Amino acid sequence: MAHTNMVYSAHGTLGRCSSDYPESTGSAEVTTFGEETLIENDIDGMSSVWIKFQEQGISGEVLQIIKQSWRESTRSQYAGFIKKWTSFCSERDIRFLHPTLNDILEFLLMLHKKNLSYSCINTARSALSCFVKIDGIDVGKHPLVSRFMKGIFQIKPTKSRYNEIWDVNVVFDYIRNMENNELLSLKKLTLKTVTLMALISSQRIQSIHNICLSNMCVDESKYVFYLGKIKQSRPNCKSLYMTLEKFPSEEKLCIFHSLTEYLKCTDGLRNGCDKVFISFLKPHKQVSKSTIARWIKTFLGSAGIDIKTFSAHSTRAASSSAAKRNGVPVGEILKRAGWSSEKTFLKFYNLNIVKNN
């Protein structure tokens, strides 16, 4: 991977595009009630967590490291429920850092009465477990809270999003009828390339969004991307890579050929952007995960897939289900898609394939 003759180099110098979000410059209002301080207009939604650690004498520098243990997506998920919790406590004059067990159960019951799903209520339980303990244990692990959540599951069990999945051959046939890559507009080439990449790699939109030219190696038969920090990343886990190999028997379906043409067309448009996928509209800046998802969904719709039913993420189930039906060993599917458990694949992604989309 470190061989210099394999590392991609565009004409000119390519700099990194920062994917970090700027820190908020807003302010928070502090209200005191009971024996505790409640943060209103909370900037990141998780000030209750930080206050709890500060109560324990944790220094600011240590706290900054602890904050990084929650990924941005997790903090975003938790923030909404923590704000609901602080609002719930404010209305009832509850000590939001030191509630009773009954306070916790009443809060979860309130969420259930608002018709939230088991998954949402379980996320709220996890959020509260960050800073609330009952009888010396994290609130989410309390036997009665666990029993309550089992009851919620019996009332509103979780369901797989899809019971059936579309046939990848519908999309492949659509691609076969397209013009050659060299004749496609930049928009069509972009949408085709990103959709092919999603199908060939079985990776999440996050992974496709993350790939950078500086973390790309290429030789005459394949591209290899280091994915960096993604959802599957965890301690004691091997670094994750996306490998895109040449498919010489059908050039129109070959992700290697499509990506090569895409990089050639965007070479002079990047203005130093390191992300692989950039906007096909001026000023050709790097795009967000939601934009990549919209591109894939648009392409699937053009191919005849019911995009009212299926999201861009459905490419993960469609490609892995098709691989399983065509005799690819489950171990290879898990490795390619980044699953550590066969149970996860078989339960949520190995779906019945239907021709009628």
Side-chain angles (χ1 to χ4, degrees), residues 48-116:
S48 300
V49 180
W50 317 144
I51 291 171
K52 181 65 177 180
F53 285 124
Q54 288 172 339
E55 269 192 355
Q56 300 171 15
I58 302 297
S59 71
E61 287 185 316
V62 171
L63 181 57
Q64 288 301 319
I65 300 297
I66 292 175
K67 283 183 179 183
Q68 300 308 309
S69 67
W70 287 280
R71 294 180 182 177
E72 185 179 320
S73 58
T74 301
R75 292 199 300 269
S76 178
Q77 276 189 309
Y78 284 2
F81 289 109
I82 292 175
K83 287 183 177 181
K84 289 181 185 295
W85 167 246
T86 54
S87 176
F88 177 87
C89 292
S90 179
E91 292 170 1
R92 294 161 177 78
D93 201 22
I94 296 169
R95 301 175 66 207
F96 73 105
L97 292 179
H98 303 283
T100 66
L101 177 59
N102 189 58
D103 293 333
I104 298 294
L105 294 173
E106 288 296 326
F107 173 67
L108 298 178
L109 177 63
M110 180 198 73
L111 299 180
H112 171 63
K113 286 182 175 180
K114 289 186 176 181
N115 204 32
L116 270 65

Side-chain angles (χ1 to χ4, degrees), residues 245-258:
E245 298 168 339
K246 185 177 286 187
F247 186 54
S249 59
E250 284 196 75
E251 189 172 278
K252 286 187 176 182
L253 295 181
C254 177
I255 182 59
F256 183 92
H257 187 274
S258 181

Side-chain angles (χ1 to χ4, degrees), residues 53-193:
F53 285 124
Q54 288 172 339
E55 269 192 355
Q56 300 171 15
I58 302 297
S59 71
E61 287 185 316
V62 171
L63 181 57
Q64 288 301 319
I65 300 297
I66 292 175
K67 283 183 179 183
Q68 300 308 309
S69 67
W70 287 280
R71 294 180 182 177
E72 185 179 320
S73 58
T74 301
R75 292 199 300 269
S76 178
Q77 276 189 309
Y78 284 2
F81 289 109
I82 292 175
K83 287 183 177 181
K84 289 181 185 295
W85 167 246
T86 54
S87 176
F88 177 87
C89 292
S90 179
E91 292 170 1
R92 294 161 177 78
D93 201 22
I94 296 169
R95 301 175 66 207
F96 73 105
L97 292 179
H98 303 283
T100 66
L101 177 59
N102 189 58
D103 293 333
I104 298 294
L105 294 173
E106 288 296 326
F107 173 67
L108 298 178
L109 177 63
M110 180 198 73
L111 299 180
H112 171 63
K113 286 182 175 180
K114 289 186 176 181
N115 204 32
L116 270 65
S117 67
Y118 169 84
S119 178
C120 287
I121 299 173
N122 199 41
T123 299
R125 176 178 73 161
S126 297
L128 295 183
S129 291
C130 294
F131 62 97
V132 177
K133 289 184 181 292
I134 299 291
D135 300 331
I137 60 176
D138 293 343
V139 66
K141 296 179 181 178
H142 193 282
L144 196 53
V145 173
S146 297
R147 182 61 58 184
F148 179 87
M149 292 305 301
K150 287 181 180 179
I152 295 292
F153 181 82
Q154 293 301 319
I155 296 170
K156 297 185 69 173
T158 56
K159 298 178 181 178
S160 298
R161 182 168 186 177
Y162 310 119
N163 294 319
E164 298 177 320
I165 198 65
W166 46 272
D167 186 358
V168 295
N169 287 307
V170 173
V171 178
F172 289 161
D173 288 342
Y174 173 73
I175 293 174
R176 289 185 179 103
N177 291 324
M178 294 178 71
E179 297 175 300
N180 291 334
N181 292 324
E182 295 80 3
L183 301 177
L184 294 175
S185 66
L186 180 57
K187 177 180 179 179
K188 287 185 177 180
L189 178 61
T190 301
L191 269 59
K192 173 190 171 181
T193 303

